[in-house]
Amino acid sequence: MNIYFVFLGAGILVLIFGILTFNGKTALSKRSHFIFGIELDKSVIGIVIFFLGMVLISVFLIGVIGPHFNKEGI
């Protein structure tokens, strides 16, 4: 098993958790969070977690597909 599949699995789980947080269906979205005295809405937290999952999936794609781009032609 390649290490990049860990990034894929984690990315998918974090992506789903971000969607559920955005919709308000997790315990994380029911609490109030503050950064520098500004209250964060559940949608902001959900979007941040969603994009973190997208970054993890991008790391998987770069690691798996990236080495094939060093050949000439299509």
Side-chain angles (χ1 to χ4, degrees):
M1 182 170 158
N2 201 348
I3 188 68
Y4 293 113
F5 288 109
V6 174
F7 284 107
L8 178 65
I12 290 172
L13 290 176
V14 170
L15 197 77
I16 292 170
F17 186 72
I19 292 170
L20 291 174
T21 303
F22 182 80
N23 289 330
K25 301 200 187 305
T26 61
L28 184 66
S29 62
K30 292 177 175 59
R31 297 175 51 198
S32 296
H33 300 280
F34 294 93
I35 294 181
F36 301 116
I38 300 171
E39 184 178 2
L40 296 178
D41 192 23
K42 66 178 181 178
S43 61
V44 173
I45 298 169
I47 289 171
V48 168
I49 295 172
F50 177 81
F51 281 122
L52 179 65
M54 293 298 286
V55 167
L56 289 172
I57 292 173
S58 298
V59 169
F60 165 75
L61 290 175
I62 290 170
V64 172
I65 299 173
H68 299 288
F69 286 129
N70 58 6
K71 300 174 188 167
E72 293 184 19
I74 294 180

